[in-house]
Amino acid sequence: MASKLNIIILAAGLGKRMHSSLPKVLHTLAGKPLLSHVLDLAKKLSPDQICVVIGHGGERVKEIINDASLTWVTQAPQLGTGHAVLQAQPYLDQQGLTLILYGDVPLVSLASLEQLIQSTQNDVCGILTAVVDDPTGYGRIIRDQNTGSIKGIVEQKDADTSQQSIREINTGIMAIPNEYLHSWLPKLENNNAQQEYYLTDIVKMAVDQNVTVVSSQALHNWEILGVNSRLQLAELERIYQLSYANKLLEKGVMLFDPSRIDIRGELRCGADVEIDVNCIFEGTVILGDHVKVKANCILKDVTVSDKTTILPFSHIENAKIGTNCRIGPYSRIRPETQLIDNVHIGNFVEVKKSRIASGSKVNHLSYIGDTTIGENVNIGAGTITCNYDGAYKHQTIIEDNVFIGSDTQLVAPVKVSVGSTIGAGSTITKDTPENELTLSRSKQISVSGWKRPSKT
């Protein structure tokens, strides 16, 4: 491998067929921008420098990506791929190798790129190619009929009938020694159907100078697919998701339907994990051994410990879930929540910025916010911690072995002391004594002779 590695990522295109004001490379695949996928891949190669060539919406691209380690280069106007690389030429090392990638080709694998770079040893130029059933729209690889060596690349609009029948195509991804790039880029011309400066023309320059051009094939043809429309973006999304699902299956994760799962980040699973259909995992999600996630759940930046079950339609974000917990159905666990072991959170319960200790239960129709709950606490249906006074949030503390009756309001700041029992329908505004019953109710009365209003 060359001593120095420069990477140029072309990301200047408008993306007219996206029909969007958002720059094409900022449209998301698996929850993050297309360009971010390419950048993450590029960094795994440990390059000495990454140049990103931007154009349409360039300032917005820089703002969203927000990476000070990158060298940003503007291409204006956009006059073709050769012209784009020419803008980055002043930033390239004199020696070493330059790898050229595309901000709208997000699925190329690290293994394919490493194979391409490896093939460029001994001072040769490398092209990533693919053999496809339908080569329409791609540049064709022209080879010598006798030796099979690469003689050039012909773009679709410049190809004759015979050349258009060629099924080996240029992916656009190249690895070129820097000394050749510095020599060839200024010599590019736009004498072609689109009047653009094609980067592919340097292949002919290489052949003319007896510089060997080698090809390396992508491991999978879907790796070289680019995005020019929302339809293509949707197709790549399904490819990505099914590929990720297959990797999970190979590691022993039970997916009820691999075609109905979305991972928009990283999903790490222990042994004997089961995931039902239509679940979405965002950010970093870690599932311990024997975790079960039932249908239609959304988990974002969550750690779930062993033997926990998450029932259907639950939404959990930025939380830590302990061992053998039971959550849902229809539960919402909001950020900064921690459930210790053997906690039950039931249907239509919302928990926010709270810690619930082992053995405690909040099973029905309750809101728990800014609260610390001890061990073996039972929260009755319809209980609300009133944590907000209109200006500030306040804490509720519920100590061990507390029983709170249904339809109770705990007005923070307040402490429910160890062993307390709160009668149903109470509004608690003061700290309660330990091991006693506390309630606040008006006397029940019946009004004799009262009649319900009726329309006249």
Side-chain angles (χ1 to χ4, degrees):
M1 187 179 295
S3 58
K4 282 186 174 292
L5 177 63
N6 297 153
I7 295 179
I8 298 174
I9 301 175
L10 305 187
L14 174 60
K16 290 182 180 179
R17 283 186 280 164
M18 301 298 289
H19 299 289
S20 172
S21 61
L22 188 69
K24 181 170 64 171
V25 295
L26 293 183
H27 285 265
T28 57
L29 174 78
K32 68 181 181 182
L34 297 171
L35 179 55
S36 293
H37 284 273
V38 183
L39 286 168
D40 289 347
L41 174 63
K43 290 177 181 179
K44 291 178 182 178
L45 294 167
S46 302
D48 296 277
Q49 181 179 211
I50 299 176
C51 291
V52 183
V53 181
I54 52 177
H56 295 285
E59 290 304 312
R60 192 171 183 187
V61 173
K62 290 170 64 175
E63 178 184 351
I64 297 298
I65 300 300
N66 191 26
D67 188 338
S69 70
L70 304 175
T71 299
W72 297 96
V73 181
T74 300
Q75 181 193 19
Q78 285 77 47
L79 302 177
T81 53
H83 180 257
V85 175
L86 183 63
Q87 310 312 301
Q89 181 191 357
Y91 303 94
L92 302 179
D93 294 305
Q94 292 301 312
Q95 301 299 318
L97 187 74
T98 291
L99 176 67
I100 297 163
L101 303 175
Y102 294 80
D104 60 357
V105 181
L107 298 186
V108 63
S109 70
L110 180 63
S112 291
L113 294 185
E114 288 176 334
Q115 180 176 283
L116 173 65
I117 293 171
Q118 184 69 24
S119 72
T120 62
Q121 292 190 27
N122 303 318
D123 204 30
V124 303
C125 299
I127 305 173
L128 192 69
T129 69
V131 177
V132 297
D133 293 332
D134 181 7
T136 303
Y138 289 98
R140 309 304 203 273
I141 301 297
I142 308 300
R143 293 183 178 273
D144 186 285
Q145 293 183 351
N146 297 319
T147 65
S149 60
I150 294 175
K151 296 195 303 180
I153 300 173
V154 177
E155 296 299 328
Q156 167 86 24
K157 292 185 178 181
D158 300 304
D160 60 31
T161 303
S162 174
Q163 292 168 335
Q164 288 186 12
S165 67
I166 296 172
R167 293 173 50 236
E168 185 181 15
I169 57 95
N170 170 41
T171 68
I173 296 172
M174 297 183 177
I176 310 293
N178 287 350
E179 61 177 307
Y180 296 139
L181 272 182
H182 285 295
S183 172
W184 296 336
L185 286 172
K187 299 176 183 177
L188 289 174
E189 298 179 348
N190 63 346
N191 300 321
N192 52 66
Q194 299 191 80
Q195 294 189 316
E196 291 186 351
Y197 296 89
Y198 294 149
L199 180 62
T200 50
D201 285 349
I202 67 174
V203 174
K204 185 177 184 305
M205 296 180 184
V207 172
D208 289 344
Q209 293 185 23
N210 295 317
V211 175
T212 302
V213 180
V214 298
S215 65
S216 177
Q217 292 218 342
L219 300 183
H220 307 92
N221 277 356
W222 49 257
E223 292 182 30
I224 58 92
L225 296 176
V227 174
N228 289 303
S229 68
R230 293 187 186 273
L231 175 60
Q232 291 175 340
L233 180 59
E235 290 171 345
L236 262 64
E237 181 75 38
R238 287 302 94 210
I239 291 170
Y240 177 94
Q241 295 299 342
L242 187 57
S243 175
Y244 206 125
N246 288 339
K247 292 175 184 176
L248 292 174
L249 290 167
E250 290 169 358
K251 293 179 180 178
V253 179
M254 177 61 198
L255 303 180
F256 284 48
D257 185 346
S259 68
R260 289 191 284 169
I261 184 173
D262 282 88
I263 298 105
R264 301 168 186 171
E266 181 183 11
L267 175 60
R268 305 180 210 160
C269 297
D272 296 306
V273 169
E274 296 182 8
I275 300 174
D276 210 329
V277 300
N278 300 328
C279 291
I280 299 173
F281 301 91
E282 300 180 335
T284 300
V285 176
I286 302 172
L287 306 180
D289 296 344
H290 302 282
V291 168
K292 297 180 180 180
V293 183
K294 300 299 184 178
N296 301 295
C297 291
I298 301 174
L299 279 66
K300 180 177 181 179
D301 293 315
V302 176
T303 299
V304 182
S305 296
D306 299 349
K307 300 180 181 179
T308 285
T309 297
I310 301 171
L311 295 171
F313 294 98
S314 294
H315 187 175
I316 308 175
E317 179 180 357
N318 192 20
K320 294 183 178 180
I321 312 299
T323 299
N324 200 38
C325 292
R326 185 177 178 87
I327 298 172
Y330 295 98
S331 295
R332 185 182 181 195
I333 311 298
R334 291 172 57 190
E336 298 183 61
T337 292
Q338 183 177 8
L339 310 183
I340 313 302
D341 302 335
N342 302 300
V343 172
H344 289 188
I345 303 295
N347 50 288
F348 303 104
V349 171
E350 180 178 351
V351 183
K352 170 252 178 187
K353 200 175 182 179
S354 298
R355 183 185 189 276
I356 302 179
S358 298
S360 292
K361 301 177 181 179
V362 190
N363 274 328
H364 314 284
L365 302 158
S366 296
Y367 170 70
I368 306 298
D370 298 283
T371 300
T372 300
I373 297 178
E375 296 183 353
N376 302 311
V377 170
N378 188 87
I379 306 292
T383 294
I384 298 173
T385 57
C386 306
N387 57 329
Y388 185 50
D389 64 6
Y392 300 100
K393 300 289 180 71
H394 300 280
Q395 290 284 320
T396 297
I397 298 174
I398 302 172
E399 296 185 335
D400 296 345
N401 300 307
V402 166
F403 184 94
I404 295 180
S406 297
D407 195 29
T408 293
Q409 298 87 48
L410 303 174
V411 183
V414 69
K415 180 174 77 172
V416 182
S417 298
V418 62
S420 289
T421 298
I422 307 298
S426 296
T427 300
I428 304 300
T429 60
K430 298 178 182 179
D431 295 355
T432 69
E434 296 182 3
N435 300 310
E436 293 189 8
L437 171 65
T438 301
L439 68 163
S440 62
R441 298 178 185 159
S442 299
K443 182 179 180 180
Q444 180 173 318
I445 62 172
S446 298
V447 179
S448 178
W450 180 86
K451 291 184 178 181
R452 183 181 300 164
S454 61
K455 292 182 180 179
T456 57

